[in-house]
Amino acid sequence: MYTEIILAFVISAILTLSFNWIIKRSGSSLYTSIRGGTPRAVGIAPFIVMLLFLPLHYSYLIALIGIFAFLDDLIGRKKTKILPFEIGQLSRGIGMLAIAVIGFFYIGPASILVALMIQPLNIADMQPGAACSTVIIMCIIALILAMITGSGYYIPLVILAACIGYAPLDYKGKIMMGEIGNHSFAVALGIAYAVLGGIYGSTSSIGYSTGSFLGVLALFIITSFVIAFIRRKNLNIFLEERLRIKNPYFGDYVMDVLTGGGLGDLIRKIIIGKREIIIKRHIFKILGFRRLVYNPQAYINN
């Protein structure tokens, strides 16, 4: 097992350097102007590693989300006259739906939460090193839980090795995971916690482990709080200056992690339309409801 983990680390590091070089020189849309020029979607390196080293039936889910995520990376924020949303958002939405549906046959209802894990990891990738730190922290927690049971080490070790091999350039802000990276890590972490939860939990009347569902639910909640904490300084600036939410609370940071980005705004647009909802009760402000109901459509003409 440990030979495979070492190989996963080495291959991830080599592929990261290789794709960084390739994207820089490709002249494609994957080389962005961010930070003076940054290769995006270098997360294809850990994606390939997880595809190679995770158990076969789980690697199918990684491959599935990777395909749709990479399409999102390639297409980006392009719109059409026919669709009311970006093509990249559509690709991501299809990928999440596919994970929720197909993943059901592997891990039961926990697949829904695994699909939802994509949102917080996607938000984390907006800050150098934030997504890597989140993955590393959650892998360490998973390994501690695995130590208690004496099993379930392999999957979090593969994820950790793939992340550490990729991470150095990300922490320096020289590369970005892109959707293919953060989506793949989200699904892989979900699988790891579903497996660990299955060890702890009982089986429900429909034949699926309740522990798997609770394990991924715990992952989803803890990950959101971890990302909100890691990104708290940037989120404070973003919420105050861009969204005009004055003196934001930690609850606002968590809500941004859970509902921020283009997909969250699309859902708000569908549900709220162009209305502006004002939150006045202090308890709801503490819980982050100002960010939850913030609707950019209400300010388009302002």
Side-chain angles (χ1 to χ4, degrees):
M1 178 181 75
Y2 294 109
T3 301
E4 291 177 325
I5 301 305
I6 294 170
L7 278 174
F9 165 76
V10 172
I11 293 172
S12 181
I14 293 172
L15 288 178
T16 297
L17 293 172
S18 300
F19 282 114
N20 177 40
W21 186 87
I22 291 168
I23 294 172
K24 274 184 177 179
R25 285 155 181 76
S26 67
S28 71
S29 60
L30 296 179
Y31 189 71
T32 71
S33 59
I34 297 172
R35 304 178 204 128
T38 308
R40 185 166 51 90
V42 183
I44 192 172
F47 160 75
I48 291 172
V49 170
M50 290 186 285
L51 200 62
L52 291 173
F53 288 93
L54 287 179
L56 187 60
H57 51 296
Y58 295 135
S59 67
Y60 291 151
L61 297 179
I62 301 298
L64 185 63
I65 194 60
I67 290 169
F68 288 104
F70 194 56
L71 285 174
D72 192 355
D73 280 322
L74 288 172
I75 297 169
R77 303 185 68 89
K78 292 181 180 179
K79 294 183 178 181
T80 67
K81 295 180 180 180
I82 301 174
L83 300 173
F85 43 77
E86 297 164 6
I87 300 174
Q89 289 175 343
L90 175 63
S91 178
R92 185 190 311 173
I94 293 173
M96 292 174 70
L97 183 62
I99 291 297
V101 174
I102 298 174
F104 190 91
F105 297 99
Y106 297 99
I107 54 176
S111 65
I112 299 170
L113 294 175
V114 172
L116 293 175
M117 272 294 300
I118 289 169
Q119 169 65 14
L121 261 295
N122 182 254
I123 295 295
D125 194 33
M126 294 180 179
Q127 179 177 320
C132 289
S133 293
T134 303
V135 172
I136 291 169
I137 290 169
M138 299 315 297
C139 281
I140 290 172
I141 293 174
L143 288 171
I144 292 171
L145 294 173
M147 287 175 64
I148 297 172
T149 63
S151 61
Y153 290 98
Y154 182 73
I155 294 177
L157 278 175
V158 169
I159 300 168
L160 184 60
C163 184
I164 293 175
Y166 160 84
L169 291 178
D170 195 303
Y171 277 112
K172 292 178 181 179
K174 293 184 177 181
I175 58 175
M176 295 177 68
M177 280 188 190
E179 314 295 16
I180 190 169
N182 60 64
H183 287 30
S184 299
F185 275 125
V187 172
L189 281 173
I191 291 169
Y193 275 77
V195 171
L196 279 169
I199 295 171
Y200 281 96
S202 58
T203 303
S204 68
S205 59
I206 59 174
Y208 293 106
S209 170
T210 55
S212 290
F213 185 87
L214 293 175
V216 182
L217 178 61
L219 168 72
F220 183 73
I221 295 170
I222 295 170
T223 299
S224 298
F225 276 81
V226 167
I227 294 170
F229 180 78
I230 291 173
R231 297 202 65 224
R232 64 193 183 282
K233 292 182 181 179
N234 286 358
L235 287 174
N236 187 82
I237 295 170
F238 173 73
L239 293 173
E240 285 206 308
E241 296 183 0
R242 294 283 299 276
L243 304 191
R244 295 179 283 183
I245 297 175
K246 299 303 178 183
N247 302 313
Y249 290 94
F250 188 74
D252 291 306
Y253 305 157
V254 175
M255 284 299 179
D256 188 82
V257 171
L258 291 174
T259 69
L263 193 58
D265 287 339
L266 175 62
I267 294 172
R268 275 183 280 266
K269 178 181 177 181
I270 293 171
I271 296 174
I272 303 175
K274 293 188 176 182
R275 289 177 294 161
E276 178 184 10
I277 299 176
I278 306 297
I279 302 298
K280 296 182 179 180
R281 288 184 178 273
H282 188 64
I283 183 63
F284 291 146
K285 289 183 179 180
I286 293 174
L287 293 174
F289 275 58
R290 287 183 297 173
R291 177 62 184 107
L292 176 64
V293 300
Y294 177 84
N295 181 21
Q297 293 296 316
Y299 303 98
I300 287 180
N301 296 320
N302 291 350

